[in-house]
DNA sequence: CGATCTACCTCGCATTAAGAGGTAGTGAGA
DNA sequence: TCTCACTACCTCTTAATGCGAGGTAGATCG
């Protein structure tokens, strides 16, 4: 009964941030989003399908993403996602939250009673 | 049906890091651990009892912490925790994981296709 | 014709933060 | 005295979510 990796727990809550981030630059389909995140994180993150697709659906339902199906000349159809105005605002919120959170951890871990 | 705060999700997995960190400097009892984390994080984190106590018990069961009961001259008895050798190693592991994780997020959020 | 890759999806499990609730001791104020 | 507030511990249930496993399907190549 191995403890789950620390990483898996840390990842909780970051998927929307990562997804919205890679979609800020261009529209992408699901499979491609996962690749982009893997590339841009330097291999640090590789979101599994079991977490990526539900997250995409949630963001779409929220109005943060818009999506449509397109044919591919080779392989199955793809669902392309693009970020909406609401999604941009949500991204900003996630970025701010992350920054404040990371600052808090850094401060706590840094040293004893540092003002 | 409000979404839970982003913060709450981000916090997942960081409790052991924060607890071990404040115990690195001195032994403390539970209530005090929460205060210490609140102080040192600059008010950014205020672990609830429902997450703190279970975390302490888990760390103790793992051998990362040792604990004993002591009387207080005023108020209820206190359970003092101190970090063990194993706990020190676990802390190092959590610090490394956190650093690599934060670096990954920073890199991903930073800019497009940065090698 | 089977294997492999792309590309989508869902279900169930495990982990964990938080809130609500419970037990007690101490001390201050109506 | 009685009540309230604060300390200090605990546990139970709920909600969120990453992940693995499983499933469907088209395309391509040996």
């Amino acid at each position: 009964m191995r403890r789950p990796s620390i990483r898996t727990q840390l990842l909780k809550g970051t998927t929307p941030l990562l997804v919205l981030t890679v979609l800020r630059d261009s529209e992408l389909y699901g499979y491609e989003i996962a690749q982009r995140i893997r590339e841009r994180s330097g291999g640090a993150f590789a979101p599994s399908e079991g977490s990526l697709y539900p997250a995409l659906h949630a963001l779409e339902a929220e109005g943060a993403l818009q999506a449509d199906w397109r044919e591919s000349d080779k392989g199955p159809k793809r669902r392309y996602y693009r970020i909406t105005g609401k999604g941009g605002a949500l991204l900003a919120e996630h970025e701010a939250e992350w920054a404040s959170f990371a600052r808090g951890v850094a401060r706590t871990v840094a040293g004893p009673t540092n003002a």
Side-chain angles (χ1 to χ4, degrees), chain A:
Chain A
M1 44 215 270
R2 151 137 41 274
R3 271 247 267 53
S5 81
I6 296 170
R7 173 62 51 95
T8 293
Q9 290 311 126
L10 290 180
L11 270 172
K12 299 237 168 141
T14 55
T15 306
L17 171 61
L18 299 175
V19 166
L20 292 170
T21 293
V22 299
L23 283 172
R24 183 181 40 190
D25 302 319
S26 58
E27 61 177 4
L28 301 166
Y29 57 95
Y31 208 78
E32 205 176 4
I33 291 172
Q35 294 179 327
R36 232 23 113 77
I37 290 175
R38 213 171 52 228
E39 281 168 27
R40 283 177 55 157
S41 69
F45 311 135
S48 73
E49 302 192 339
S51 64
L52 180 62
Y53 288 114
L56 287 173
H57 300 159
L59 287 169
E60 190 184 356
E62 241 180 296
L65 298 180
Q66 261 181 359
D68 60 301
W69 286 100
R70 296 192 208 152
E71 296 291 336
S72 164
D73 31 339
K74 48 180 205 170
K77 278 184 286 193
R78 299 163 170 174
R79 190 157 175 82
Y80 280 83
Y81 290 89
R82 76 194 96 37
I83 199 169
T84 65
K86 206 165 177 180
L90 186 60
L91 172 54
E93 197 190 339
H94 266 95
E95 284 179 328
E97 265 302 325
W98 168 259
S100 133
F101 175 72
R103 208 180 315 123
V105 173
R107 201 180 313 187
T108 309
V109 173
T113 10
N114 51 317

